[in-house]
Each structure stands twice: as structure tokens, then as C-alpha cells.
Amino acid sequence: MLKINYMIEAKGVIDELNCHLGKAAAMAKIDLPEVVEEVIEIQKNNFLVSYSLNNKTKITSKNISFLENKEKKYKEIVGKFDGFILQGGSLLGAEIHIARAVNRRLFRQVTYCSATGIHVDGVIFDYLNKLSNYLFILSKYINHRLGVEEIKVYGEQ
């Protein structure tokens, strides 16, 4: 596969991720309007990731701090959980889980870019990794706020 194909694939995955986040934002308008603006902010940040893949780094530690602060806030609300849950819960929580899975695919695609010699700024990896963590805790927060119990595979019950 040509190096440039990895870049094209990564940009396509960013588009797919933003589509799922857009759907989630539309769904959140009804039950969780406080989540809408931050999801839109993440969609905008994902465009910065796309620009950054062209060696014009736009994503910064400030974007990562945004995710860290939101993640910390939601963890305080939902509490700590060590273990695994089945993806799903509410429809909105499930959509966020899909976005997280797409984000993990994006991380792998960006790794392929880097492995084939395309320069990828380390901040992109940090951002995508933190985005995955954030989306996981966001899904837990959404399910918590909507009163939907998650199915725990194992861990603290």
C-alpha cells in the first residue's frame, strides 16, 4: 500500500468519527444538551488533527487539556470503575461507544502513517489516546445521567 493511502484512509476515518459524533450531538440535544457543545468542540478539534496530518500541526496540548478536564469532571460524577462493561446502554451512550471504536481505528491508521515514514507529530497520538479515554467516560456519564444501567463484564460490581 502506498504511504499516501494511509493518509487518505486516516482522513476518511476522521470524517467517519465526526459523523458519529454529529449524530451523538443531535441525539444529545433532547436529553443532555450540556454535552452538545463539547461534542461539537471535539468535532472541530478532529479537523485540526486532519490538518496536523499534513505536517501543519494545529492540535495542541490545550486540546488535550480540554479532554482531560472533561474526563476528570465526569469521573467525579460516575465514580471509578475497574473492569469492563459491554458497549451500549442508552442509544446515545452506544453511539459514543461507536465513536470511541472509530477513534481507536483512527489511532491505528495514524500509526500506520508513522510506520511508513509519514511524519506524525506526537501530540496527535496523545490527543487520540486521550480522546478514546474521554469518549469512554462520556458514555458512562451519559448512561448514568439517563439512568441506564451498564452491563459489567467483570470488575467492581
Side-chain angles (χ1 to χ4, degrees):
M1 183 176 249
L2 296 173
K3 291 179 188 179
I4 194 66
N5 287 349
Y6 288 118
M7 180 76 71
I8 292 168
E9 283 297 316
K11 290 178 179 250
V13 176
I14 291 169
D15 187 43
E16 182 182 350
L17 173 58
N18 272 349
C19 289
H20 285 289
L21 291 172
K23 182 178 178 184
M27 294 168 73
K29 285 181 183 179
I30 298 165
D31 295 321
L32 294 167
E34 71 270 20
V35 172
V36 174
E37 286 304 313
E38 70 188 60
V39 171
I40 291 170
E41 182 69 21
I42 290 163
Q43 286 180 293
K44 292 176 183 177
N45 289 344
N46 290 344
F47 274 103
L48 297 179
V49 170
S50 184
Y51 298 142
S52 296
L53 288 173
N54 290 332
N55 295 321
K56 300 171 189 156
T57 302
K58 302 278 186 182
I59 202 79
T60 68
S61 60
K62 192 166 105 174
N63 304 106
I64 297 168
S65 294
F66 172 81
L67 295 171
E68 289 172 336
N69 292 335
K70 295 294 181 178
E71 180 184 357
K72 181 180 177 186
K73 175 182 135 184
Y74 294 144
K75 277 184 178 178
E76 289 173 1
I77 294 168
V78 301
K80 187 176 186 241
F81 171 71
D82 291 324
F84 294 94
I85 58 169
L86 294 179
Q87 298 84 342
S90 65
L91 286 175
L92 179 55
E95 191 64 34
I96 293 296
H97 276 294
I98 292 169
R100 186 184 61 79
V102 172
N103 180 70
R104 295 311 298 167
R105 182 160 35 92
L106 174 58
F107 187 94
R108 291 188 304 272
Q109 199 65 46
V110 170
T111 300
Y112 299 150
C113 287
S114 180
T116 59
I118 297 170
H119 173 75
V120 178
D121 193 314
V123 73
I124 294 173
F125 291 106
D126 295 341
Y127 172 81
L128 294 175
N129 194 45
K130 185 49 67 178
L131 180 57
S132 179
N133 296 344
Y134 161 82
L135 290 171
F136 177 79
I137 198 69
L138 177 62
S139 70
K140 290 187 68 55
Y141 169 76
I142 287 167
N143 289 332
H144 172 80
R145 282 271 286 116
L146 295 177
V148 176
E149 190 170 333
E150 297 169 314
I151 300 170
K152 295 174 177 128
V153 178
Y154 68 85
E156 291 178 8
Q157 299 290 329

CSV table of all heavy atoms in Angstrom, one decimal, residues 93-130:
chain,number,residue,atom,x,y,z
A,93,GLY,N,-25.4,6.6,24.5
A,93,GLY,CA,-24.2,6.0,25.1
A,93,GLY,C,-23.6,5.0,24.1
A,93,GLY,O,-22.4,5.0,23.9
A,94,ALA,N,-24.4,4.3,23.4
A,94,ALA,CA,-24.0,3.3,22.4
A,94,ALA,C,-23.3,4.1,21.2
A,94,ALA,O,-22.3,3.6,20.7
A,94,ALA,CB,-25.1,2.5,21.9
A,95,GLU,N,-23.9,5.2,20.8
A,95,GLU,CA,-23.3,6.0,19.7
A,95,GLU,C,-21.9,6.5,20.1
A,95,GLU,O,-21.0,6.5,19.3
A,95,GLU,CB,-24.2,7.1,19.3
A,95,GLU,CG,-23.8,7.8,18.0
A,95,GLU,CD,-23.9,6.9,16.8
A,95,GLU,OE1,-24.8,6.0,16.7
A,95,GLU,OE2,-23.1,7.1,15.9
A,96,ILE,N,-21.8,6.9,21.3
A,96,ILE,CA,-20.5,7.4,21.8
A,96,ILE,C,-19.5,6.2,21.8
A,96,ILE,O,-18.3,6.4,21.5
A,96,ILE,CB,-20.6,8.1,23.2
A,96,ILE,CG1,-21.4,9.4,23.1
A,96,ILE,CG2,-19.2,8.3,23.8
A,96,ILE,CD1,-20.7,10.4,22.2
A,97,HIS,N,-19.9,5.0,22.2
A,97,HIS,CA,-19.0,3.8,22.1
A,97,HIS,C,-18.6,3.6,20.7
A,97,HIS,O,-17.5,3.2,20.5
A,97,HIS,CB,-19.7,2.6,22.7
A,97,HIS,CG,-19.7,2.5,24.2
A,97,HIS,ND1,-18.5,2.3,24.9
A,97,HIS,CD2,-20.6,2.6,25.1
A,97,HIS,CE1,-18.7,2.2,26.2
A,97,HIS,NE2,-20.0,2.4,26.4
A,98,ILE,N,-19.5,3.7,19.7
A,98,ILE,CA,-19.1,3.5,18.3
A,98,ILE,C,-18.1,4.6,17.9
A,98,ILE,O,-17.1,4.2,17.3
A,98,ILE,CB,-20.4,3.6,17.4
A,98,ILE,CG1,-21.3,2.4,17.6
A,98,ILE,CG2,-19.9,3.7,15.9
A,98,ILE,CD1,-22.7,2.6,17.0
A,99,ALA,N,-18.3,5.8,18.3
A,99,ALA,CA,-17.3,6.9,18.1
A,99,ALA,C,-15.9,6.5,18.7
A,99,ALA,O,-14.9,6.7,18.0
A,99,ALA,CB,-17.8,8.2,18.6
A,100,ARG,N,-16.0,5.9,19.9
A,100,ARG,CA,-14.7,5.6,20.5
A,100,ARG,C,-14.0,4.5,19.7
A,100,ARG,O,-12.8,4.5,19.5
A,100,ARG,CB,-14.9,5.1,21.9
A,100,ARG,CG,-13.7,4.8,22.7
A,100,ARG,CD,-13.9,4.2,24.1
A,100,ARG,NE,-14.7,3.0,24.0
A,100,ARG,CZ,-14.1,1.8,23.8
A,100,ARG,NH1,-12.8,1.7,23.5
A,100,ARG,NH2,-14.8,0.7,23.7
A,101,ALA,N,-14.8,3.5,19.2
A,101,ALA,CA,-14.2,2.4,18.4
A,101,ALA,C,-13.6,3.0,17.1
A,101,ALA,O,-12.5,2.5,16.7
A,101,ALA,CB,-15.2,1.3,18.1
A,102,VAL,N,-14.3,3.9,16.5
A,102,VAL,CA,-13.8,4.5,15.3
A,102,VAL,C,-12.5,5.3,15.6
A,102,VAL,O,-11.6,5.3,14.8
A,102,VAL,CB,-14.9,5.4,14.6
A,102,VAL,CG1,-14.3,6.2,13.4
A,102,VAL,CG2,-16.1,4.5,14.1
A,103,ASN,N,-12.5,6.0,16.7
A,103,ASN,CA,-11.3,6.7,17.1
A,103,ASN,C,-10.1,5.8,17.3
A,103,ASN,O,-9.0,6.1,16.9
A,103,ASN,CB,-11.6,7.5,18.4
A,103,ASN,CG,-10.4,8.3,18.8
A,103,ASN,OD1,-10.0,9.3,18.2
A,103,ASN,ND2,-9.8,7.8,19.9
A,104,ARG,N,-10.4,4.6,17.9
A,104,ARG,CA,-9.3,3.6,18.0
A,104,ARG,C,-8.8,3.2,16.7
A,104,ARG,O,-7.6,3.0,16.5
A,104,ARG,CB,-9.7,2.4,18.9
A,104,ARG,CG,-10.1,2.8,20.3
A,104,ARG,CD,-9.1,3.6,21.0
A,104,ARG,NE,-7.8,3.0,21.2
A,104,ARG,CZ,-6.6,3.6,21.5
A,104,ARG,NH1,-6.6,4.9,21.8
A,104,ARG,NH2,-5.5,2.9,21.6
A,105,ARG,N,-9.7,3.0,15.7
A,105,ARG,CA,-9.2,2.7,14.3
A,105,ARG,C,-8.4,3.8,13.7
A,105,ARG,O,-7.4,3.6,13.1
A,105,ARG,CB,-10.4,2.4,13.4
A,105,ARG,CG,-10.0,2.0,12.0
A,105,ARG,CD,-11.1,1.2,11.3
A,105,ARG,NE,-12.4,1.6,11.5
A,105,ARG,CZ,-13.1,2.5,10.8
A,105,ARG,NH1,-12.5,3.1,9.8
A,105,ARG,NH2,-14.4,2.8,11.1
A,106,LEU,N,-8.8,5.1,14.0
A,106,LEU,CA,-8.1,6.2,13.6
A,106,LEU,C,-6.7,6.2,14.2
A,106,LEU,O,-5.7,6.5,13.4
A,106,LEU,CB,-8.8,7.5,13.9
A,106,LEU,CG,-8.0,8.8,13.6
A,106,LEU,CD1,-7.7,8.9,12.2
A,106,LEU,CD2,-8.9,10.0,14.1
A,107,PHE,N,-6.6,5.9,15.4
A,107,PHE,CA,-5.2,5.8,16.1
A,107,PHE,C,-4.4,4.8,15.3
A,107,PHE,O,-3.2,5.0,15.1
A,107,PHE,CB,-5.4,5.4,17.6
A,107,PHE,CG,-4.2,5.4,18.3
A,107,PHE,CD1,-3.8,6.6,19.1
A,107,PHE,CD2,-3.3,4.3,18.4
A,107,PHE,CE1,-2.6,6.6,19.8
A,107,PHE,CE2,-2.1,4.4,19.1
A,107,PHE,CZ,-1.8,5.5,19.8
A,108,ARG,N,-5.0,3.6,15.0
A,108,ARG,CA,-4.2,2.6,14.3
A,108,ARG,C,-3.8,3.1,12.9
A,108,ARG,O,-2.6,2.9,12.5
A,108,ARG,CB,-5.0,1.3,14.2
A,108,ARG,CG,-5.2,0.6,15.5
A,108,ARG,CD,-5.8,-0.8,15.3
A,108,ARG,NE,-7.1,-0.8,14.6
A,108,ARG,CZ,-8.3,-0.6,15.2
A,108,ARG,NH1,-8.4,-0.4,16.5
A,108,ARG,NH2,-9.4,-0.7,14.4
A,109,GLN,N,-4.7,3.8,12.2
A,109,GLN,CA,-4.4,4.3,10.9
A,109,GLN,C,-3.2,5.3,11.0
A,109,GLN,O,-2.4,5.3,10.1
A,109,GLN,CB,-5.6,4.9,10.3
A,109,GLN,CG,-5.6,5.1,8.8
A,109,GLN,CD,-5.5,3.7,8.1
A,109,GLN,OE1,-6.2,2.8,8.4
A,109,GLN,NE2,-4.6,3.7,7.1
A,110,VAL,N,-3.3,6.2,12.0
A,110,VAL,CA,-2.2,7.2,12.1
A,110,VAL,C,-0.9,6.5,12.5
A,110,VAL,O,0.2,6.9,12.0
A,110,VAL,CB,-2.6,8.2,13.2
A,110,VAL,CG1,-1.4,9.1,13.6
A,110,VAL,CG2,-3.8,9.1,12.7
A,111,THR,N,-1.0,5.4,13.2
A,111,THR,CA,0.2,4.6,13.5
A,111,THR,C,0.8,4.0,12.2
A,111,THR,O,2.0,4.1,12.0
A,111,THR,CB,-0.1,3.5,14.5
A,111,THR,OG1,-0.6,4.1,15.7
A,111,THR,CG2,1.1,2.6,14.8
A,112,TYR,N,0.0,3.6,11.3
A,112,TYR,CA,0.4,3.1,10.0
A,112,TYR,C,1.1,4.2,9.2
A,112,TYR,O,2.2,4.0,8.6
A,112,TYR,CB,-0.7,2.5,9.2
A,112,TYR,CG,-1.5,1.4,9.7
A,112,TYR,CD1,-2.8,1.2,9.4
A,112,TYR,CD2,-0.8,0.4,10.6
A,112,TYR,CE1,-3.5,0.1,10.0
A,112,TYR,CE2,-1.5,-0.6,11.1
A,112,TYR,CZ,-2.9,-0.8,10.8
A,112,TYR,OH,-3.6,-1.8,11.3
A,113,CYS,N,0.5,5.4,9.3
A,113,CYS,CA,1.2,6.5,8.6
A,113,CYS,C,2.6,6.7,9.1
A,113,CYS,O,3.5,6.8,8.3
A,113,CYS,CB,0.4,7.8,8.8
A,113,CYS,SG,-1.2,7.9,8.0
A,114,SER,N,2.7,6.8,10.4
A,114,SER,CA,4.0,7.0,11.1
A,114,SER,C,5.0,5.9,10.7
A,114,SER,O,6.2,6.1,10.4
A,114,SER,CB,3.8,7.1,12.6
A,114,SER,OG,5.1,7.3,13.2
A,115,ALA,N,4.5,4.6,10.7
A,115,ALA,CA,5.4,3.5,10.5
A,115,ALA,C,5.9,3.4,9.0
A,115,ALA,O,6.9,2.8,8.8
A,115,ALA,CB,4.6,2.2,10.8
A,116,THR,N,5.2,4.1,8.1
A,116,THR,CA,5.6,4.1,6.7
A,116,THR,C,6.4,5.4,6.4
A,116,THR,O,6.7,5.6,5.2
A,116,THR,CB,4.4,4.0,5.8
A,116,THR,OG1,3.5,5.1,6.0
A,116,THR,CG2,3.7,2.7,5.9
A,117,GLY,N,6.8,6.1,7.4
A,117,GLY,CA,7.7,7.3,7.2
A,117,GLY,C,7.0,8.6,7.0
A,117,GLY,O,7.6,9.6,6.8
A,118,ILE,N,5.7,8.6,7.2
A,118,ILE,CA,5.0,9.9,7.2
A,118,ILE,C,5.1,10.5,8.5
A,118,ILE,O,4.9,9.9,9.6
A,118,ILE,CB,3.5,9.7,6.8
A,118,ILE,CG1,3.3,9.1,5.4
A,118,ILE,CG2,2.7,11.0,7.0
A,118,ILE,CD1,1.9,8.7,5.1
A,119,HIS,N,5.6,11.7,8.6
A,119,HIS,CA,5.8,12.4,9.9
A,119,HIS,C,4.5,12.6,10.6
A,119,HIS,O,3.6,13.2,10.0
A,119,HIS,CB,6.6,13.7,9.7
A,119,HIS,CG,6.6,14.5,11.0
A,119,HIS,ND1,7.5,14.1,12.1
A,119,HIS,CD2,5.9,15.5,11.5
A,119,HIS,CE1,7.3,14.9,13.1
A,119,HIS,NE2,6.4,15.8,12.8
A,120,VAL,N,4.4,12.2,11.8
A,120,VAL,CA,3.2,12.4,12.6
A,120,VAL,C,3.6,13.0,13.9
A,120,VAL,O,4.4,12.3,14.7
A,120,VAL,CB,2.4,11.1,12.8
A,120,VAL,CG1,1.1,11.4,13.7
A,120,VAL,CG2,1.9,10.5,11.5
A,121,ASP,N,3.2,14.2,14.2
A,121,ASP,CA,3.6,14.8,15.5
A,121,ASP,C,3.1,14.0,16.6
A,121,ASP,O,1.9,13.5,16.6
A,121,ASP,CB,3.0,16.2,15.5
A,121,ASP,CG,3.6,17.1,16.6
A,121,ASP,OD1,3.7,16.6,17.8
A,121,ASP,OD2,4.0,18.2,16.4
A,122,GLY,N,3.9,13.8,17.7
A,122,GLY,CA,3.5,13.0,18.8
A,122,GLY,C,2.2,13.5,19.5
A,122,GLY,O,1.5,12.7,20.1
A,123,VAL,N,2.0,14.8,19.4
A,123,VAL,CA,0.8,15.3,20.1
A,123,VAL,C,-0.5,14.7,19.5
A,123,VAL,O,-1.5,14.6,20.2
A,123,VAL,CB,0.8,16.9,20.0
A,123,VAL,CG1,0.5,17.4,18.6
A,123,VAL,CG2,-0.2,17.5,21.0
A,124,ILE,N,-0.5,14.3,18.2
A,124,ILE,CA,-1.6,13.7,17.6
A,124,ILE,C,-1.9,12.4,18.3
A,124,ILE,O,-3.1,12.1,18.6
A,124,ILE,CB,-1.4,13.5,16.1
A,124,ILE,CG1,-1.3,14.8,15.4
A,124,ILE,CG2,-2.5,12.6,15.5
A,124,ILE,CD1,-0.9,14.7,13.9
A,125,PHE,N,-0.9,11.6,18.6
A,125,PHE,CA,-1.1,10.3,19.3
A,125,PHE,C,-1.6,10.6,20.7
A,125,PHE,O,-2.5,9.9,21.1
A,125,PHE,CB,0.2,9.5,19.4
A,125,PHE,CG,0.7,9.0,18.0
A,125,PHE,CD1,1.7,9.5,17.4
A,125,PHE,CD2,0.0,7.9,17.5
A,125,PHE,CE1,2.2,9.0,16.1
A,125,PHE,CE2,0.4,7.4,16.2
A,125,PHE,CZ,1.5,7.9,15.6
A,126,ASP,N,-1.1,11.6,21.4
A,126,ASP,CA,-1.6,11.9,22.7
A,126,ASP,C,-3.0,12.3,22.7
A,126,ASP,O,-3.8,11.9,23.5
A,126,ASP,CB,-0.7,13.0,23.3
A,126,ASP,CG,0.7,12.6,23.5
A,126,ASP,OD1,1.0,11.4,23.6
A,126,ASP,OD2,1.6,13.5,23.7
A,127,TYR,N,-3.4,13.1,21.7
A,127,TYR,CA,-4.8,13.6,21.6
A,127,TYR,C,-5.7,12.4,21.3
A,127,TYR,O,-6.7,12.3,22.0
A,127,TYR,CB,-4.9,14.6,20.5
A,127,TYR,CG,-6.3,15.0,20.2
A,127,TYR,CD1,-7.0,15.9,21.0
A,127,TYR,CD2,-7.0,14.4,19.1
A,127,TYR,CE1,-8.3,16.3,20.7
A,127,TYR,CE2,-8.4,14.7,18.9
A,127,TYR,CZ,-9.0,15.7,19.7
A,127,TYR,OH,-10.3,16.0,19.5
A,128,LEU,N,-5.4,11.6,20.4
A,128,LEU,CA,-6.3,10.5,20.0
A,128,LEU,C,-6.4,9.5,21.2
A,128,LEU,O,-7.5,8.9,21.4
A,128,LEU,CB,-5.8,9.8,18.8
A,128,LEU,CG,-5.8,10.6,17.5
A,128,LEU,CD1,-5.2,9.8,16.3
A,128,LEU,CD2,-7.3,11.0,17.2
A,129,ASN,N,-5.3,9.3,21.9
A,129,ASN,CA,-5.4,8.4,23.1
A,129,ASN,C,-6.3,9.0,24.1
A,129,ASN,O,-7.1,8.3,24.7
A,129,ASN,CB,-4.0,8.1,23.6
A,129,ASN,CG,-4.0,6.9,24.6
A,129,ASN,OD1,-4.6,5.9,24.3
A,129,ASN,ND2,-3.3,7.1,25.7
A,130,LYS,N,-6.1,10.2,24.4
A,130,LYS,CA,-6.9,10.9,25.4
A,130,LYS,C,-8.4,11.0,25.0
A,130,LYS,O,-9.3,10.9,25.8
A,130,LYS,CB,-6.4,12.3,25.7
A,130,LYS,CG,-7.1,13.0,26.8
A,130,LYS,CD,-7.3,12.2,28.1
A,130,LYS,CE,-6.1,11.9,28.8
A,130,LYS,NZ,-6.3,11.2,30.1
